[in-house]
Amino acid sequence: MRLSLLMLFSLFITAGLFAQTSELSVQKIMQDPKSWVGTSPSDPFWAEDGQILYFKWNPEAHPGDSLYKVNAKGGEPVKVSLEEELALPSGSGDYNNDKSLKVFSRYGDIFLYNIKTSEMQQLTQTLGTESSPSFTGDEKYITYEYEDNLYRISLMNGAIEQLTDFQEKKSSGTDKKSEQDDWLEKDNVNLIKVLQERKSRAEQEEAYQQYKKVKRPKTYYLNGQSVGSIELSPNQDYITFTLFKRANNKSTIVPDYLHESGYTEDIRARSKVGSDISDMTVGIYHLESDSIYFLQTNELEGIDEQPAYLKEYNLEENKSSREVITNSPVWSDDGRYLVANVRSKDNKDRWICLVNPVTAELEVLDRQRDEAWIGGPGIGWTFGGSVLGFMPDNKSIYFQSEETGYSHLYTIDLGNKRKKALTKGNYEVYDPRISADKKFWYFEANPEHPGIRNVYYMPINGGKLTAITTQKGKSEAIFSPDDSKIALLHSTSNQPTELFIKDNPLKAETVEERQITQSTTEAFDKYPWREAEVITFKARDGEKVHSRIYKPEAAKSNGAAVVFVHGAGYLQNAHHWWSSYFREYMFHNLLTDLGYTVLDIDYRGSAGYGRDWRTAIYRHMGGKDLTDQVDGAKYLVEEHGIDAERIGMYGGSYGGFITLMAMFTTPDVFAAGAALRSVTDWAHYNHGYTSNILNVPVADSIAYRKSSPIYYAEGLQGALLICHGMVDDNVHFQDVVRLAQRLIELGKENWEMAVYPVERHGFVEPSSWTDEYRRILKLFEDNLRD
């Protein structure tokens, strides 16, 4: 009787478990995406006449993508032969004013392409590497860089002229004479008449040879610096260039235990936060005076203004000038104006300056100051990435700024110095470009919803935004040379990116849109992928937090939930387009099939929500970004009936860091967590990312102590899984080794670590992905199911 009851109970439980199954499996999800999901089209570019669209694609699931083409009017894509591909001009390069000619580099040589006749002329053929070709202002010459110098080639007769002479280091020459030897030589010459006559003739001969010598560019010795961005001004009277000097920092070593050589080989990796920052400055070479000088930055407005956080340490205010980095300057097309983008090395100031090329003096046009750090779309980081250019009138510049709290497009009139906002509102502008006829702006923006990004146009001097695309999801636009056609890369939350061709509504009376590719596989299409609902919940400070939520049918819910934490910190994932975390998206569908509710939060620090959201983690990572996760867990309990004792968390990189902070500092909220490739101590991460948010350890140790999970490991109570690649050269394996030792010393038992000997930060091998996510699923099944 007892045996029968036990068997019946066992069958009942087993039937209940098998009822909560899925067509998906970890092995299916994590297989090679080329053969399972398919490969989306990428890198589209137009033929110079706008009649053909080229793009990379891989519908056959080959090891690499191939080049395809399609007629601008639509039709079936055709694979481009290797011969045809080699005959195409490069997608990058420089055009003359009427866009009849294009110059570009390929395989280290310079080519000139006649767009009207489709004829291609090879201008150089050397064993060296020529690069960065462009037309001069008068279009009579083409300049290019070769072995760190600028050359000019005549389109009239092919004559080549070297314009700069940058050399690595000065020759030591003969040993310098001692004072005694110098005295003896002078005395001897003064005494012997023949020696006097010979010396006089030698000096005259040398003077004559110098007179006959062809004028050469001024020699500048680099002495360990690297030269780049060498550019001749439109009027051909100045050359601007950048000098880069790499900081002499101690590198870290990442051992590769499974190197093909059979030996453990060392990989030289990045230095740690707090290391010296490399230098970059701008030089000006005045050709007529044959003189070189550098931009003067020591008088910039606020150059000696120290960061506010230093007051917390009761340090005396240091009034010395802060170090800066100057990016490549930009000339107006008429050569009248030169502007430069200057950043402080602590990245709390950005100056946009008008440069006087005669004196190298700077006049500040716009200063952007942020006590956290300068950033945002179109603003970039310290070493570049900023939107900066000249308007069609050549009298105004355009740039992006977070002055209102969101990244918007601005202009400044260089005559009266007046600044004007071209866009405004609680949304952000991405990738602005000026139309071919110079009358409009094209850009992506998210005014409708932070998680919907469409393409817009706007009059050149600002005004109403008009949507070119209106789909739910994300659209990226690549315009044909005359802007009449648009190649669109579009995706939704449950459909990967596909390629479309659309008529530009600014150019066509009748607008048609045609889908060009269908990239997903039949196997992928068989599963009903969920369109995750994008919702908001209220955080403890009243802010609305955007999130994706995956909900099982009420009858299949197991009462447990998983919170996913995206990586990178400054990244957006609660949106309506196909996620770069597509494996995780598929895993969330599997979890939902098994009865779990999944919440994917755009926590504080995420992209897409403006400056205040971006910088809310300043000096405390694991602060508001973590409480947003805790408030999300509370939302699941109160609004979706989730059992408060059966909530798990997982994430990679920054998501792994948050998982550790959650498991160590809020163990009453999360019962289980999987921390993947996670930062455990921010003092061991890189400088470019970390110093923006936490400053540097030697100056702001409080921020690092508050933000690093390794200091809170004693708080672990729930089940913890740690996964890390052993050759990770971004977040080093050392991070989890140090944490493991801490957990051992603390006597913690409910944790385990899986290591992946051949994987770096982003896993590549399907077997590694499969093993990792089987462990994550087992962690949740063992600890979260009732």
Side-chain angles (χ1 to χ4, degrees):
M1 179 91 173
R2 286 177 182 172
L3 183 60
S4 298
L5 286 172
L6 241 141
M7 290 176 66
L8 282 170
F9 181 72
S10 175
L11 286 170
F12 173 77
I13 293 295
T14 305
L17 288 175
F18 275 113
Q20 297 188 57
T21 58
S22 172
E23 300 173 32
L24 302 174
S25 67
V26 170
Q27 187 172 10
K28 178 185 283 189
I29 288 170
M30 299 303 165
Q31 63 184 295
D32 185 349
K34 289 195 298 291
S35 57
W36 154 233
V37 179
T39 303
S40 290
S42 64
D43 302 323
F45 65 95
W46 290 92
E48 299 299 335
D49 61 4
Q51 298 303 307
I52 301 292
L53 177 66
Y54 297 91
F55 59 96
K56 291 181 180 178
W57 199 29
N58 191 2
E60 301 95 346
H62 290 318
D65 292 357
S66 299
L67 187 67
Y68 279 74
K69 67 178 180 180
V70 65
N71 191 282
K73 296 179 181 179
E76 290 296 319
V78 178
K79 185 185 287 189
V80 176
S81 68
L82 181 60
E83 293 75 17
E84 182 181 351
E85 183 176 351
L86 291 175
L88 290 173
S90 171
S92 59
D94 187 47
Y95 295 91
N96 63 348
N97 288 330
D98 65 3
K99 294 195 173 180
S100 61
L101 298 173
K102 181 179 184 179
V103 63
F104 61 91
S105 63
R106 175 180 286 166
Y107 308 123
D109 289 312
I110 306 298
F111 294 83
L112 183 65
Y113 182 73
N114 189 310
I115 295 171
K116 294 179 179 179
T117 65
S118 299
E119 295 178 352
M120 194 178 302
Q121 178 184 1
Q122 185 167 352
L123 300 182
T124 67
Q125 188 172 10
T126 70
L127 296 178
T129 301
E130 291 93 20
S131 62
S132 306
S134 64
F135 288 95
T136 56
D138 59 9
E139 300 185 357
K140 295 180 180 179
Y141 303 87
I142 287 171
T143 62
Y144 62 90
E145 292 183 35
Y146 174 71
E147 293 186 347
D148 293 335
N149 279 294
L150 190 68
Y151 291 77
R152 179 169 58 188
I153 183 169
S154 171
L155 292 178
M156 300 288 291
N157 55 26
I160 296 176
E161 178 186 4
Q162 183 172 339
L163 299 179
T164 63
D165 184 22
F166 294 107
Q167 298 184 23
E168 178 54 37
K169 58 184 177 180
K170 192 172 184 177
S171 175
S172 58
T174 57
D175 294 336
K176 187 178 179 181
K177 297 175 185 175
S178 67
E179 187 178 358
Q180 170 67 16
D181 290 344
D182 187 53
W183 183 90
L184 283 174
E185 180 180 323
K186 289 179 180 178
D187 183 68
N188 195 38
V189 170
N190 289 334
L191 184 64
I192 307 301
K193 186 177 181 180
V194 172
L195 296 180
Q196 292 178 24
E197 292 172 350
R198 289 178 179 177
K199 183 177 181 181
S200 177
R201 287 195 296 269
E203 290 173 347
Q204 291 175 16
E205 178 63 25
E206 183 179 358
Y208 177 66
Q209 293 299 328
Q210 287 294 329
Y211 178 78
K212 292 195 306 179
K213 189 176 181 181
V214 177
K215 184 180 179 182
R216 302 295 184 187
K218 183 179 181 66
T219 300
Y220 185 88
Y221 297 101
L222 297 173
N223 294 319
Q225 300 176 101
S226 300
V227 65
S229 302
I230 314 173
E231 183 180 1
L232 182 65
S233 67
N235 295 332
Q236 304 184 60
D237 46 359
Y238 294 96
I239 292 174
T240 56
F241 58 92
T242 60
L243 288 182
F244 180 81
K245 185 176 182 180
R246 187 172 298 280
N248 186 24
N249 293 318
K250 182 177 181 179
S251 299
T252 48
I253 299 298
V254 176
D256 183 356
Y257 291 99
L258 284 185
H259 192 272
E260 62 184 21
S261 67
Y263 291 87
T264 299
E265 301 285 351
D266 288 338
I267 301 171
R268 289 181 64 85
R270 57 163 175 81
S271 56
K272 297 181 187 288
V273 60
S275 302
D276 290 338
I277 304 177
S278 300
D279 292 317
M280 190 159 75
T281 187
V282 168
I284 300 175
Y285 176 24
H286 186 209
L287 295 174
E288 184 177 350
S289 64
D290 200 31
S291 55
I292 291 177
Y293 37 92
F294 296 87
L295 298 194
Q296 304 299 308
T297 61
N298 56 329
E299 297 296 330
L300 287 171
E301 172 192 347
I303 190 68
D304 58 355
E305 185 176 340
Q306 301 301 311
Y309 77 88
L310 292 175
K311 296 176 183 177
E312 192 170 324
Y313 294 91
N314 296 317
L315 297 176
E316 292 185 9
E317 195 169 353
N318 181 6
K319 285 296 183 181
S320 61
S321 296
R322 288 174 293 155
E323 292 186 279
V324 300
I325 289 169
T326 309
N327 303 129
S328 305
V330 181
W331 287 97
S332 59
D333 287 342
D334 60 7
R336 183 180 176 187
Y337 294 110
L338 179 66
V339 294
N341 184 57
V342 184
R343 306 287 282 260
S344 59
K345 281 191 175 182
D346 62 17
N347 207 17
K348 299 187 187 299
D349 273 284
R350 177 195 183 197
W351 298 270
I352 297 175
C353 302
L354 182 64
V355 181
N356 184 335
V358 179
T359 63
E361 293 176 340
L362 302 180
E363 179 184 355
V364 176
L365 299 170
D366 183 74
R367 179 191 177 194
Q368 299 168 32
R369 169 79 177 181
D370 198 316
E371 281 298 339
W373 74 96
I374 296 290
I379 300 166
W381 302 92
T382 306
F383 280 98
S386 301
V387 169
L388 178 63
F390 277 86
M391 295 287 281
D393 64 4
N394 275 319
K395 299 176 182 178
S396 305
I397 60 168
Y398 64 83
F399 60 96
Q400 285 184 247
S401 169
E402 284 186 324
E403 182 176 316
T404 63
Y406 291 84
S407 182
H408 282 290
L409 194 58
Y410 292 81
T411 61
I412 293 179
D413 187 308
L414 298 182
N416 57 30
K417 308 301 189 292
R418 289 178 184 168
K419 182 165 67 173
K420 178 182 179 182
L422 299 187
T423 59
K424 59 183 177 180
N426 294 345
Y427 65 91
E428 298 194 306
V429 170
Y430 303 86
D431 302 322
R433 54 150 290 193
I434 296 174
S435 64
D437 61 11
K438 313 294 185 186
K439 295 179 180 179
F440 295 94
W441 283 101
Y442 298 126
F443 49 77
E444 297 169 33
N446 57 359
E448 180 183 352
H449 183 278
I452 298 174
R453 199 181 296 180
N454 275 302
V455 182
Y456 294 82
Y457 72 83
M458 177 185 71
I460 191 68
N461 292 315
K464 180 184 176 182
L465 273 64
T466 303
I468 291 177
T469 62
T470 56
Q471 295 100 321
K472 192 176 181 180
K474 180 182 180 182
S475 294
E476 300 174 60
I478 300 88
F479 290 81
S480 63
D482 63 357
D483 288 346
S484 63
K485 303 285 184 182
I486 309 171
L488 293 172
L489 293 172
H490 177 74
S491 70
T492 61
S493 63
N494 62 350
Q495 286 295 316
T497 300
E498 298 292 356
L499 180 64
F500 300 77
I501 293 180
K502 180 174 184 173
D503 298 311
N504 188 344
L506 270 171
K507 301 286 185 178
E509 294 182 4
T510 303
V511 176
E512 294 184 15
E513 182 174 305
R514 298 165 290 280
Q515 183 169 346
I516 303 303
T517 62
Q518 176 58 50
S519 305
T520 50
T521 67
E522 184 178 348
F524 179 84
D525 291 338
K526 283 183 178 178
Y527 181 83
W529 299 103
R530 292 171 174 84
E531 184 178 353
E533 185 182 359
V534 178
I535 55 94
T536 61
F537 64 84
K538 187 173 288 189
R540 62 191 64 188
D541 59 0
E543 292 287 347
K544 289 183 178 180
V545 183
H546 288 76
S547 309
R548 276 186 176 188
I549 190 167
Y550 303 76
K551 295 184 293 186
E553 296 175 18
K556 294 184 177 181
S557 174
N558 62 17
V562 171
V563 175
F564 169 67
V565 190
H566 68 68
Y570 190 63
L571 180 143
Q572 187 177 7
N573 207 46
H575 50 61
H576 291 280
W577 61 83
W578 186 248
S579 175
S580 57
Y581 289 94
F582 64 91
R583 292 182 179 88
E584 290 80 354
Y585 166 77
M586 294 188 287
F587 184 60
H588 297 163
N589 276 266
L590 169 60
L591 288 174
T592 309
D593 287 346
L594 298 177
Y596 292 90
T597 299
V598 182
L599 192 65
D600 175 359
I601 301 172
D602 271 349
Y603 50 88
R604 248 52 86 86
S606 297
Y609 306 95
R611 181 265 170 197
D612 291 348
W613 201 264
R614 175 178 66 81
T615 61
I617 57 174
Y618 178 58
R619 299 191 69 215
H620 191 187
M621 291 192 275
K624 290 183 178 181
D625 46 359
L626 176 56
T627 59
D628 285 344
Q629 316 294 332
V630 175
D631 294 341
K634 180 182 177 183
Y635 161 78
L636 290 172
V637 172
E638 294 178 350
E639 300 296 329
H640 296 278
I642 297 300
D643 185 341
E645 296 183 356
R646 294 192 291 127
I647 301 176
M649 176 184 281
Y650 87 102
S653 196
Y654 198 100
F657 148 72
I658 287 291
T659 300
L660 292 176
M661 289 294 275
M663 297 300 293
F664 295 166
T665 65
T666 59
D668 57 325
V669 179
F670 300 99
L676 322 175
R677 52 193 180 277
S678 50
V679 176
T680 67
D681 187 345
W682 287 107
H684 289 259
Y685 196 50
N686 69 26
H687 187 91
Y689 178 85
T690 318
S691 65
N692 283 309
I693 305 171
L694 301 180
N695 303 306
V696 295
V698 70
D700 199 0
S701 58
I702 293 173
Y704 283 81
R705 179 64 175 79
K706 287 193 298 186
S707 302
S708 297
I710 199 166
Y711 292 107
Y712 303 99
E714 65 274 4
L716 177 63
Q717 294 178 22
L720 174 63
L721 168 66
I722 300 171
C723 299
H724 213 105
M726 294 182 71
V727 285
D728 190 333
D729 51 5
N730 181 10
V731 179
H732 298 161
F733 185 58
Q734 180 195 24
D735 262 59
V736 291
V737 171
R738 294 176 72 237
L739 178 60
Q741 184 59 30
R742 280 279 288 146
L743 294 170
I744 291 168
E745 292 175 359
L746 290 166
K748 297 296 179 180
E749 298 179 358
N750 199 19
W751 67 280
E752 62 181 23
M753 184 161 69
V755 299
Y756 299 86
V758 300
E759 297 294 357
R760 296 181 183 249
H761 195 59
F763 281 17
V764 174
E765 300 300 328
S767 57
S768 300
W769 282 103
T770 301
D771 182 88
E772 182 179 49
Y773 274 78
R774 276 178 177 165
R775 293 175 187 273
I776 297 170
L777 181 58
K778 184 177 186 301
L779 175 78
F780 294 150
E781 292 282 82
D782 289 349
N783 294 279
L784 302 184
R785 277 199 179 274
D786 190 357

